[in-house]
Amino acid sequence: MTEAKSVAVIGSLNIDYFTRVGSLPAPGETVCSDSLNLFRGGKGANQAIAASRQGSEIIFIGAVGNDEHGKKYLKALEKEGIDIAHIDSVKGNTGAAFITVDRSGENMIVISSGANSSLTREHIKAKTKQISSAGAVLGQFEVPISSILEAARIANQNEIPVIINPSPVEKSFPWQEIRTDYLLVNEYEASEVLGFEPWNKELSLVRQRLHELRVENLIITRGGDDTLVYNRGDEVLNISTLPVLPIDTVGAGDAFAGCFAARISNGESLEDALAAANCAGALTTLGAGAQNPIPDRERVDQHLEHLAQSQ
Ligand code: RIB
């Protein structure tokens, strides 16, 4: 087996305040909940943990506050085997996410960025050596866009695959300035980034738009439905997912992204990496919170084998 390459993750760390309600509140409405759970979350940390559990070494660049939450978070990441040398501890609060989930599993998330907003372009530049040694660079949009752009530039210069999960969507992101090898989106994000619903357009128009945005592979996750891939090929790829009965979908997209990055950095084919990522995403919906239920490599492989045998 070849030695696993590292994944550089540039992203957020949050404390998730998680409540369940019957129905989500409408604007101006107050809804009571009888539950409150605190979990560690943040798209960056969730994705870093997902890639780490697939066996990748992680270069995690981010920031926590110098509060109790931040200190405990760093200890937990160390326990997970993630190097915390590139996570800054800055004055102020660790990021927080206020998550409300209704009885159908639909959720609403409000983020208070806290320390995540301190991650600057200069901070990333100072990590050029570490980023240049990675097998893949993975970023999301819960940290300043300038830091994601800088990391992508470094990766582009070094021919390292750039994987971007543009969540929460940022309309003004200058896609043309970088080459994105893999753009990981859900259906809503796909239409926001492209400006139209790709599944309702001719393939040639989708390809033209991807060319304009300098995106090589557009990967659209669709909950329990097949993941779609649009690229320079003549067909849209459909990669099936594991059928599950979700109890909490928060973090499923992050498990998908982290697992995908780990597998791509390891030299696996696009199809194999996506089959594994679909599996990791689906399994993460079977437990509460974003990080605890993220599966390890062995569990994903067992499910992939099982799926292959049943086909
Ligand atoms: O993707 C799930 C994550 O989004 C949560 O952990 C929360 O912190 C928000 O960032």
Side-chain angles (χ1 to χ4, degrees):
M1 201 169 121
T2 52
E3 202 187 320
K5 284 224 172 176
S6 56
V7 176
V9 181
I10 291 80
S12 58
L13 302 98
N14 294 331
I15 299 298
D16 292 349
Y17 294 81
F18 192 100
T19 56
R20 286 186 183 276
V21 294
S23 313
L24 296 173
E29 189 188 359
T30 300
V31 171
C32 289
S33 165
D34 53 13
S35 71
L36 174 65
N37 287 103
L38 265 65
F39 296 110
R40 282 180 293 277
K43 293 186 195 305
N46 299 344
Q47 296 184 13
I49 287 173
S52 169
R53 290 188 188 165
Q54 293 299 306
S56 292
E57 193 191 311
I58 307 299
I59 301 160
F60 187 10
I61 306 177
V64 290
N66 62 354
D67 54 359
E68 273 313 303
H69 285 310
K71 287 176 196 153
K72 284 192 187 153
Y73 209 139
L74 293 180
K75 282 196 185 134
L77 286 175
E78 273 190 312
K79 257 196 178 167
E80 181 79 34
I82 294 182
D83 181 8
I84 58 165
H86 311 296
I87 304 175
D88 265 9
S89 179
V90 301
K91 196 159 174 263
N93 297 334
T94 297
F98 301 92
I99 304 176
T100 308
V101 180
D102 74 7
R103 69 169 77 81
S104 73
E106 192 60 65
N107 65 52
M108 265 172 58
I109 303 183
V110 175
I111 306 272
S112 169
S113 297
N116 294 308
S117 60
S118 72
L119 201 67
T120 62
R121 186 175 171 200
E122 282 60 43
H123 192 127
I124 303 299
K125 271 189 173 167
K127 305 290 176 192
T128 299
K129 192 169 143 227
Q130 288 79 12
I131 295 173
S132 309
S133 72
V137 170
L138 172 61
Q140 328 73 30
F141 287 179
E142 284 184 348
V143 292
I145 293 308
S146 58
S147 62
I148 300 297
L149 277 174
E150 189 57 34
R153 277 191 206 106
I154 297 169
N156 283 170
Q157 278 158 14
N158 290 280
E159 299 293 326
I160 299 167
V162 171
I163 306 170
I164 297 189
N165 171 220
S167 180
V169 162
E170 172 56 62
K171 284 234 178 208
S172 62
F173 188 80
W175 293 100
Q176 291 84 353
E177 288 184 19
I178 55 166
R179 188 194 70 240
T180 304
D181 298 282
Y182 304 99
L183 179 62
L184 311 183
V185 285
N186 59 26
E187 289 164 289
Y188 166 76
E189 291 155 355
S191 352
E192 289 293 302
V193 174
L194 269 67
F196 55 75
E197 295 176 336
W199 49 92
N200 283 331
K201 280 271 178 202
E202 269 178 40
L203 190 51
S204 59
L205 294 177
V206 180
R207 280 162 59 171
Q208 188 187 324
R209 186 76 184 120
L210 293 181
H211 180 71
E212 284 162 13
L213 297 173
R214 300 185 61 203
V215 169
E216 299 295 323
N217 293 279
L218 170 70
I219 296 170
I220 309 177
T221 55
R222 303 185 306 151
D225 293 329
D226 288 4
T227 294
L228 304 179
V229 184
Y230 293 81
N231 55 24
R232 304 287 154 93
D234 289 334
E235 288 179 358
V236 180
L237 289 179
N238 280 251
I239 312 286
S240 61
T241 189
L242 194 67
V244 287
L245 282 177
I247 63 161
D248 168 8
T249 59
V250 174
D254 298 332
F256 177 95
C259 177
F260 178 76
R263 302 271 176 156
I264 285 291
S265 73
N266 220 11
E268 292 186 28
S269 70
L270 178 63
E271 286 83 352
D272 287 352
L274 285 172
N278 276 347
C279 219
L283 291 170
T284 300
T285 67
L286 300 179
Q291 297 180 358
N292 289 340
I294 296 173
D296 63 11
R297 188 176 188 101
E298 200 183 333
R299 185 141 172 256
V300 169
D301 286 345
Q302 276 168 2
H303 280 275
L304 287 174
E305 242 171 68
H306 191 70
L307 266 184
Q309 279 163 9
S310 63
Q311 273 162 11

